[in-house]
Amino acid sequence: MLDPQQLEAKFYELSRTFHPDFYQTKSTAEQSISLGNAAVLNTAYRTLRDPIQRAEYLLGLEAGSVKDIRTSPPADLFEEILELQDTLDEYRASDRESDESRRLHTTLQTEQERLEQHKQEMETQLHRLFSDWDALQDAGEATADARVKRDQLLKQMRNLLSNRTYVNNIVNDLTATIA
Amino acid sequence: MAYSDKVVDHFNNPRNMGSFKKDEEGVGTGMVGAPECGDVMKLQIKVQNDTIVDAKFKTFGCGSAIASSSLATEWLKGKTIEEAQKIKNTDIVQELNLPPVKIHCSVLAEDAIKAALSDYQKKTDSPQADGK
């Protein structure tokens, strides 16, 4: 299981080992090695700390090993996004002083809040997926069952990240328009 | 990076924007997305006697994605199902003069065409959707 506190402690420990400051009196070769190590360590820490980045990295690693990691598009979400896009267009074309415009603004604001909440839920869900993933890694079983479970988890992560991109885009558009 | 004149034209005057009712007879709906950039594309065809009589699209994405789907609907009208199957993303790239970084937009449009065609075929193949 990836323990955030342990991750942080380990990061600081290794930072002290690799930090370029401690190599200032050493040879250029050693300095450049320490700099390289420190950079890798920073990236690794940032990646593991953030579930979104961790999932992206993991999926990149596993892209070749999982068959059909890409799944069918979420039709309901797409309908929702396209509908919202229409409402956004209506709002953009409306006279800001009119009642209709104010009504649209309220609708869009409600949608924005709902989608922000949806984003939060997706992050919670990603945390949950990683708990399952870590548990599976800890169990270390090479059974067919474990393999299926593993692929399922990766697929769910892939879906989640994709949906997050779609939601992010429309939220950004909403924010920019009604701000 | 500058958009080609044709992309700008389709972007400013998109053809066939809108949608049909999904359950309308002869309508096939294709819904596709690009998870990398978050573009969403919906493309619909209306088929009578094996010929596409009308096509509509709705796209949420960049100018090239909008232009690609707009062009796709223009090309689809009047084509038979079989002819429509043959539309390739490279045709769209050529017509719109898309730069390499925007080729995925044309792929998305081709995927949308394929999805709409297969949705139509699935609807007509299943007995309860026949309606006659």
Side-chain angles (χ1 to χ4, degrees), chain A:
Chain A
M1 194 67 67
L2 197 148
D3 176 358
Q5 272 160 7
Q6 210 184 332
L7 175 71
E8 201 182 358
K10 196 83 191 159
F11 170 65
Y12 287 134
E13 185 196 316
L14 289 170
S15 285
R16 281 191 292 273
T17 315
F18 294 135
H19 202 283
D21 282 0
F22 303 124
Y23 293 84
Q24 276 178 354
T25 57
K26 300 281 161 64
S27 69
T28 328
E30 275 179 288
Q31 280 183 18
S32 102
I33 291 170
S34 97
L35 198 65
N37 282 344
V40 170
L41 179 67
N42 277 318
T43 312
Y45 176 59
R46 273 200 303 266
T47 307
L48 285 170
R49 194 180 50 175
D50 174 32
I52 308 283
Q53 286 193 41
R54 191 184 170 198
E56 267 163 12
Y57 182 74
L58 181 65
L59 288 164
L61 281 182
E62 302 288 342
S65 75
V66 186
K67 272 178 278 158
D68 192 25
I69 204 162
R70 184 172 297 225
T71 46
S72 53
D76 289 350
L77 179 66
F78 283 7
E79 286 287 5
E80 216 179 294
I81 287 172
L82 292 171
E83 216 166 283
L84 257 175
Q85 201 56 35
D86 284 348
T87 317
L88 272 168
D89 283 342
E90 256 177 80
Y91 174 72
R92 286 191 189 108
S94 68
D95 170 10
R96 294 296 147 91
E97 300 303 311
S98 66
D99 287 347
E100 174 66 3
S101 183
R102 273 188 281 272
R103 189 188 63 79
L104 288 169
H105 191 275
T106 313
T107 310
L108 291 171
Q109 215 160 16
T110 315
E111 286 299 311
Q112 185 197 10
E113 281 157 22
R114 194 178 58 77
L115 286 168
E116 289 283 5
Q117 203 187 333
H118 185 39
K119 264 170 71 177
Q120 290 291 322
E121 284 161 11
M122 286 196 280
E123 280 187 32
T124 314
Q125 211 187 332
L126 194 56
H127 273 290
R128 216 172 297 141
L129 289 175
F130 265 122
S131 308
D132 289 353
W133 173 265
D134 289 339
L136 199 70
Q137 299 294 313
D138 289 347
E141 291 168 53
T143 57
D145 263 6
R147 178 92 207 163
V148 170
K149 183 95 210 305
R150 183 180 170 283
D151 286 5
Q152 266 174 358
L153 283 170
L154 287 171
K155 213 169 197 173
Q156 280 171 304
M157 285 181 198
R158 170 79 276 162
N159 268 342
L160 210 96
L161 285 191
S162 302
N163 290 2
R164 192 174 168 277
T165 314
Y166 298 127
V167 172
N168 256 351
N169 275 10
I170 188 77
V171 167
N172 288 345
D173 220 11
L174 276 167
T175 312
T177 310
I178 64 174

